[in-house]
């Protein structure tokens, strides 16, 4: 039995889009896709009646505070920059739109201030069995439909990439940093358009 009541909202701006959250006011739903209207409440003791997997919805709510279901419209970003704390925790998707990881942190070059790498967590459940892989920032492209970053990196490339296995790991020495650079240097760079 669920412990949380879920609230299903419908987007007035996108007729084929629903948002599911644990907040009765829908405050965590993305504003660009609103305004949102409450359509349904699912109490913990009620059967799951939605045509979407309950576990997927729960994971989305834990990770993002909401789960979007349906056709997500594309939006032009109103801001040319984004704060780092809004990037951290954002989902990463493969070219087919499957969620493969989450951005843990940005790795910024001290002198230039340029984001060089991102630490992306893959796998695990509730923090157990999570693997950290450092990938070049340029390998990610923001996808407004997914509200996350899309990458052309394959699962095999991720498995072979230099990995970090905990929050207390120290950035590698120059030799390891060169190995990281060499690993990613010859792979295809980023996606210009979502497939």
């Amino acid at each position: 039995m669920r412990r949380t009541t879920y609230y299903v909202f419908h987007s007035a701006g996108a007729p084929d889009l629903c948002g599911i959250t644990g907040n009765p006011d829908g405050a965590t739903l993305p504003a660009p896709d609103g305004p949102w209207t409450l359509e349904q409440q699912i109490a913990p003791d009620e059967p799951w009646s939605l045509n979407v997997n309950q576990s997927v919805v729960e994971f989305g709510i834990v990770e993002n505070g909401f789960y979007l279901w349906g056709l997500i419209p594309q939006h032009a970003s109103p801001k040319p920059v984004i704060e780092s704390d809004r990037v951290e925790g954002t989902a990463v998707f493969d070219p087919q739109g499957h969620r493969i990881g989450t951005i843990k942190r940005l790795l910024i070059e001290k002198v230039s201030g340029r984001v060089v790498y991102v630490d992306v967590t893959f796998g695990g459940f509730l923090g157990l069995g999570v693997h950290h892989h450092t990938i070049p920032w340029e390998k990610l492209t923001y996808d407004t439909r997914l509200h996350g970053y899309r990458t052309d990196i394959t699962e095999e490339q991720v498995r072979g990439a230099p990995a970090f296995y905990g929050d207390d790991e120290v950035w590698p020495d120059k030799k390891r940093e060169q190995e990281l650079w060499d690993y990613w240097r010859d792979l295809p760079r980023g996606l210009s358009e979502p497939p």
Side-chain angles (χ1 to χ4, degrees), residues 106-117 137-138 181:
L106 304 177
L107 303 169
I108 301 167
E109 193 174 59
K110 281 185 183 179
V111 175
S112 71
R114 183 175 63 98
V115 176
V116 182
Y117 296 105
W137 173 247
E138 63 193 43
W181 172 250

Side-chain angles (χ1 to χ4, degrees), residues 2-25:
R2 292 182 312 278
R3 294 185 217 163
T4 305
T5 298
Y6 290 118
Y7 301 89
V8 181
F9 290 82
H10 186 261
S11 168
D16 297 322
L17 182 64
C18 289
I20 306 168
T21 182
N23 297 343
D25 61 1

Side-chain angles (χ1 to χ4, degrees), residues 25-91:
D25 61 1
T28 59
L29 293 169
D33 296 316
W36 297 94
T37 305
L38 180 63
E39 284 197 340
Q40 182 180 0
Q41 176 178 321
I42 305 173
D45 58 343
E46 291 181 61
W48 188 255
S49 59
L50 301 178
N51 191 21
V52 61
N53 186 291
Q54 180 181 340
S55 297
V56 171
V57 170
E58 289 172 352
F59 182 77
I61 291 172
V62 168
E63 288 288 308
N64 302 309
F66 62 87
Y67 177 81
L68 295 182
W69 175 31
L71 295 176
I72 301 172
Q74 289 214 3
H75 302 287
S77 176
K79 300 193 301 185
V81 297
I82 187 167
E83 299 85 359
S84 64
D85 60 344
R86 292 184 55 99
V87 175
E88 295 162 1
T90 303

Side-chain angles (χ1 to χ4, degrees), residues 6 20 31 43 45 91 98 122 134 166 168 171:
Y6 290 118
I20 306 168
D45 58 343
H98 301 114
F122 296 88
T134 304
D168 57 350
W171 181 251

